[in-house]
């Protein structure tokens, strides 16, 4: 069962519709019991880092089940936008720790006279040099839709899957074992987004 985790912050309908477009039915769930039955998990997110972690930890009580599914059961987990940032250790946007599933931190874009923050709109995501199965056949000129004011920096370079430049070069997609995160919105990225989601479902 493919489950989109609902903790009150994310483009749930858009994601579900995109999965339907590629021929898959995704369940939107906030119940730990239902999430425990998932064979694949999607962690979306739009908004503030601390607000998201408070919702996951206290309002919905989902932190333990997400970690158990990812670390103990090795269920494929995809974090999208803020959901990707939550997979890391910490963020300059807040003071609460992240889920700590992938080693790294989230930083604020530096001020730049000619580049606006938030980074919003279409941009390229270039595959890094790697040899895992997911990296094979990734398009080198794929463009995705971004909307964020903070960016990810993973601790281990081998966890970086794609790079994007907006005043600084940052990790726009990360992967550690069964856990994948993308800073962009694949559900808003047309063909390239559909291909990435299908690749996640097929290969992870």
């Amino acid at each position: 069962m493919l489950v989109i985790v609902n903790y009150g912050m994310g483009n749930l309908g858009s994601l579900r519709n995109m999965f339907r477009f590629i021929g898959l039915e995704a369940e939107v769930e906030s119940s730990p019991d239902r999430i425990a039955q998932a064979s694949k998990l999607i962690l979306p997110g739009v908004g503030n880092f601390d607000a998201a972690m408070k919702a996951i930890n206290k309002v919905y009580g989902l932190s333990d089940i997400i970690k158990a599914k990812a670390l103990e059961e090795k269920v494929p987990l995809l974090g999208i936008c803020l959901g990707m940032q939550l997979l890391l250790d910490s963020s300059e946007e807040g003071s609460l720790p992240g889920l700590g599933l992938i080693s790294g931190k989230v930083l604020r874009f530096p001020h730049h006279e000619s580049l606006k923050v938030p980074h919003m709109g279409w941009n390229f995501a270039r595959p890094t040099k790697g040899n895992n199965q997911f990296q094979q056949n990734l398009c080198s000129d794929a463009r995705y839709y971004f909307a964020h004011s903070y960016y990810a920096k993973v601790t281990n370079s081998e966890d970086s899957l794609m790079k994007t430049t907006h005043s600084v070069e940052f990790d726009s997609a990360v992967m550690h074992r069964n856990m994948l995160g993308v800073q962009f919105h694949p559900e808003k990225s047309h063909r390239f987004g559909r291909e990435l989601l299908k690749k996640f479902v097929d290969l992870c």
Side-chain angles (χ1 to χ4, degrees):
M1 180 170 66
L2 175 63
V3 171
I4 301 171
V5 179
N6 177 15
Y7 60 97
M9 301 172 69
N11 295 324
L12 306 179
S14 298
L15 268 172
R16 192 174 190 180
N17 288 338
M18 180 62 91
F19 279 112
R20 282 176 175 167
F21 189 86
I22 61 177
L24 297 165
E25 191 62 38
E27 301 294 329
V28 177
E29 298 290 348
S30 58
S31 164
D33 291 339
R34 291 291 291 167
I35 293 171
Q37 300 176 39
S39 57
K40 289 182 173 63
L41 282 179
I42 309 293
L43 184 66
V46 175
N48 177 270
F49 188 93
D50 274 8
M53 286 308 304
K54 286 178 183 177
I56 288 173
N57 288 327
K58 297 180 180 179
V59 178
Y60 291 87
L62 299 177
S63 179
D64 288 343
I65 187 62
I66 292 172
K67 290 179 180 179
K69 296 295 287 184
L71 297 176
E72 297 171 21
E73 298 184 31
K74 311 299 183 186
V75 165
L77 167 63
L78 169 61
I80 295 174
C81 196
L82 177 61
M84 167 189 163
Q85 296 179 0
L86 299 177
L87 300 180
L88 305 186
D89 298 314
S90 63
S91 173
E92 289 186 342
E93 188 177 18
S95 58
L96 293 179
L99 292 168
L101 296 172
I102 299 177
S103 181
K105 55 188 177 181
V106 181
L107 306 172
R108 181 171 179 81
F109 280 113
H111 174 73
H112 195 286
E113 292 182 359
S114 61
L115 294 173
K116 294 181 179 179
V117 176
H119 171 215
M120 186 171 291
W122 295 88
N123 203 343
F124 293 98
R126 302 176 301 277
T128 57
K129 293 181 179 179
N131 56 9
N132 71 56
Q133 191 177 14
F134 197 92
Q135 281 173 309
Q136 295 176 13
N137 301 319
L138 282 176
C139 183
S140 60
D141 60 350
R143 295 172 72 246
Y144 301 93
Y145 187 83
F146 291 82
H148 60 119
S149 298
Y150 295 79
Y151 66 93
K153 183 177 179 60
V154 292
T155 303
N156 302 311
S157 60
E158 59 266 30
D159 291 338
S160 178
L161 190 69
M162 297 182 187
K163 295 278 192 182
T164 296
T165 301
H166 183 76
S167 75
V168 295
E169 186 179 63
F170 63 91
D171 297 310
S172 51
V174 299
M175 190 170 194
H176 182 74
R177 297 176 182 169
N178 54 302
M179 294 165 284
L180 171 67
V182 295
Q183 183 61 70
F184 46 82
H185 288 274
E187 76 280 9
K188 296 181 179 180
S189 298
H190 306 312
R191 175 172 67 89
F192 292 121
R194 291 194 300 270
E195 290 173 354
L196 185 137
L197 291 177
K198 191 171 188 308
K199 198 175 183 75
F200 168 75
V201 171
D202 290 344
L203 294 182
C204 292

